[in-house]
Amino acid sequence: MNVTSTLLSGFIATVVLTTLMAGTQELRFTRLNIPFILGAIFTKDRDLAKVLGIVLHFINGWWISFIYAAVFESLGLATWWLGGGMGLVHAAFVLTVIMWLLPGLHPRIASEQRGPTPTRQLEPPGFLALNYGRRT
């Protein structure tokens, strides 16, 4: 496995994903902001949460790129369709399992099982993160 290529590929893929997510937010397709949600785990300050979230988002992009590279290397195959298929499985896992678990893991996300609290919280994502918009 070429570490430099994997780091570069992970960085480029994260830049593309982050750009697409920011664009879909600005075009009002979704309200989902993964970097903000990541940063809000560590701070109540919304501006600082955005900065921390971007840093964490890129770190996640890098370690996930090593998982993709390991799969490519173990199969001896690195094609666009294999990467796309892995990306679909990855997205399906995040949208169905991780988003479902997030209210139990994140200190500032409300739960669909608990009522409102006096502390302002982030909206729970719901199944497929649909609470952040039907086009999410």
Side-chain angles (χ1 to χ4, degrees):
M1 177 184 315
N2 184 331
V3 174
T4 305
S5 292
T6 302
L7 287 171
L8 181 60
S9 298
F11 179 79
I12 291 169
T14 306
V15 166
V16 170
L17 174 66
T18 307
T19 302
L20 288 171
M21 289 189 320
T24 57
Q25 268 191 290
E26 291 301 318
L27 293 170
R28 305 288 189 249
F29 290 138
T30 184
R31 292 181 296 116
L32 180 64
N33 186 332
I34 292 175
F36 175 70
I37 291 172
L38 284 172
I41 293 171
F42 301 100
T43 181
K44 292 179 185 179
D45 182 326
R46 295 176 78 83
D47 292 326
L48 181 58
K50 292 174 188 175
V51 173
L52 285 174
I54 285 289
V55 171
L56 291 170
H57 186 61
F58 274 88
I59 290 170
N60 285 342
W62 276 322
W63 72 260
I64 290 169
S65 71
F66 280 97
I67 294 172
Y68 276 67
V71 170
F72 291 150
E73 189 162 312
S74 69
L75 295 176
L77 183 67
T79 63
W80 68 268
W81 56 266
L82 178 59
M86 288 171 55
L88 285 174
V89 170
H90 180 181
F93 179 76
V94 168
L95 288 172
T96 56
V97 177
I98 301 299
M99 291 298 168
W100 177 73
L101 288 173
L102 208 51
L105 301 171
H106 197 296
R108 291 178 230 320
I109 289 186
S111 169
E112 293 177 357
Q113 283 72 40
R114 288 179 272 140
T117 64
T119 306
R120 192 170 149 206
Q121 294 183 310
L122 299 173
E123 181 178 12
F127 180 69
L128 298 178
L130 291 175
N131 289 353
Y132 288 105
R134 291 192 48 80
R135 291 187 250 173
T136 299

